[in-house]
Amino acid sequence: MAPKMFHLQIQASALMGATLAILPGDPGRVERIARTMKNPKFLAQNREYMMWLAETEEGRKVVVCSTGIGGPSSAIAVEELAMCGIKDFLRVGTTGLIQPQIDPGTVVIMTGSVRLEGTSKHLAPIEYPAVAHHEWVRSLVDTARRLKIPHVVGVSASSDTFYQGQSRQDSFKKGFVVRELEGRMKEMEQLGVLSFEMEAGLILTQTSAFGLRGGAIAAGIVNRHRRELPDESIILDAEAKVIELAAKAIDSLAVGPS
Ligand code: URA
């Protein structure tokens, strides 16, 4: 009998030949994403990994699998999905915008991520770039333009912490950070980085290092020049945009590696 993946608790055959996965962080978002597509079906749930199977308009099978927050749990999801035959991975998340002019609700289409997190160093040396596959970037940008979804395209940054590593002042120790993290948001902003999130650095490094195709999009749910914490009233709407973009971009993604 084919082995069951230790964390995802599925056998490869459960994916019914799917070769593409959408990866939200939040298990609570998985069913919602699957239900925007055809034939949504619950697959399995263990720890932070909730999995559903669905189909795009054009009948492409898609696994929706949550990664949990941050690098370590995301690395397990990518590893085990790859062992089950997944070749295309799209992170669909949320992000904190750090360029002052970008409005919350804007979708960030990542061309790459600054690897400020630690997990990706287990997959490739730090000099190796965390870049999105060009076919993902192409189909995401084309689809966002066609659907008139407000978006920006560029580099994001992935942090291991939501508070200290993203220069938040509203933390337990009121903005105190170790020397290495001082001025991080300012520095990233000056370098033209669009936003902070916590998973793309790992996912894009791991997919590239494995010869797989990775992409990443995230809904901007706060502009850090205006607020510290996300604005709950815009989260549902912002997520709806990023989910619509993900579901539609899949059908214009070229089939197979190129
Ligand atoms: N996710 C993050 O990591 N940071 C934010 O500010 C918003 C979402």
Side-chain angles (χ1 to χ4, degrees):
M1 203 161 94
K4 210 175 192 184
M5 294 300 127
F6 183 67
H7 299 87
L8 299 185
Q9 288 288 301
I10 48 148
Q11 288 173 317
S13 58
L15 305 189
M16 310 289 285
T19 59
L20 189 146
I22 292 182
L23 306 176
D26 180 1
R29 238 184 287 140
V30 172
E31 179 174 351
R32 183 170 165 216
I33 295 174
R35 288 198 183 282
T36 64
M37 292 184 272
K38 291 196 304 192
N39 300 326
K41 183 174 144 238
F42 170 78
L43 277 184
Q45 193 260 321
N46 185 44
R47 295 176 179 244
E48 56 269 77
Y49 306 112
M50 170 71 80
M51 296 181 74
W52 282 58
L53 193 63
E55 279 173 37
T56 63
E57 280 304 308
E58 294 185 12
R60 195 158 178 178
K61 288 196 171 55
V62 177
V63 180
V64 187
C65 176
S66 51
T67 61
I69 294 179
S73 60
S74 302
I76 289 171
V78 172
E79 188 84 31
E80 295 189 2
L81 286 168
M83 288 196 272
C84 288
I86 298 295
K87 302 204 174 332
D88 290 307
F89 295 80
L90 179 62
R91 156 146 171 84
V92 176
T94 56
T95 193
L97 303 158
I98 61 170
Q99 295 295 330
Q101 75 285 3
I102 309 175
D103 290 325
T106 305
V107 173
V108 176
I109 299 175
M110 294 172 216
T111 53
S113 176
V114 185
R115 295 170 56 190
L116 301 176
E117 42 66 53
T119 314
S120 68
K121 291 180 203 148
H122 288 209
L123 281 306
I126 195 65
E127 294 82 5
Y128 187 94
V131 284
H133 192 277
H134 64 96
E135 291 289 3
W136 268 123
V137 175
R138 185 197 55 75
S139 78
L140 290 162
V141 172
D142 287 353
T143 307
R145 285 185 182 148
R146 182 166 54 80
L147 300 178
K148 299 196 174 14
I149 293 174
H151 64 281
V152 287
V153 185
V155 174
S156 196
S158 295
S159 163
D160 271 337
T161 47
F162 181 83
Y163 289 95
Q164 290 78 6
Q166 301 184 24
S167 303
R168 283 196 158 84
Q169 301 302 306
D170 58 355
S171 56
F172 181 67
K173 287 178 84 170
K174 301 285 168 258
F176 167 77
V177 290
V178 294
R179 243 178 324 205
E180 188 195 333
L181 298 182
E182 278 171 10
R184 181 180 262 187
M185 179 171 141
K186 192 84 221 149
E187 181 185 32
M188 290 297 124
E189 183 194 333
Q190 293 290 327
L191 291 169
V193 170
L194 300 172
S195 67
F196 279 129
E197 53 80 74
M198 298 176 70
E199 294 80 17
L202 174 277
I203 291 170
L204 298 180
T205 302
Q206 189 172 14
T207 48
S208 301
F210 285 3
L212 305 169
R213 302 195 299 186
I217 50 177
I221 54 171
V222 62
N223 184 306
R224 293 289 313 287
H225 293 270
R226 305 177 201 172
R227 292 168 65 111
E228 282 266 290
L229 286 178
D231 179 349
E232 307 246 359
S233 69
I234 68 136
I235 291 180
L236 270 184
D237 247 27
E239 283 179 356
K241 278 188 213 140
V242 87
I243 291 170
E244 183 190 8
L245 175 55
K248 299 272 164 57
I250 288 169
D251 276 331
S252 60
L253 182 74
V255 176
S258 60

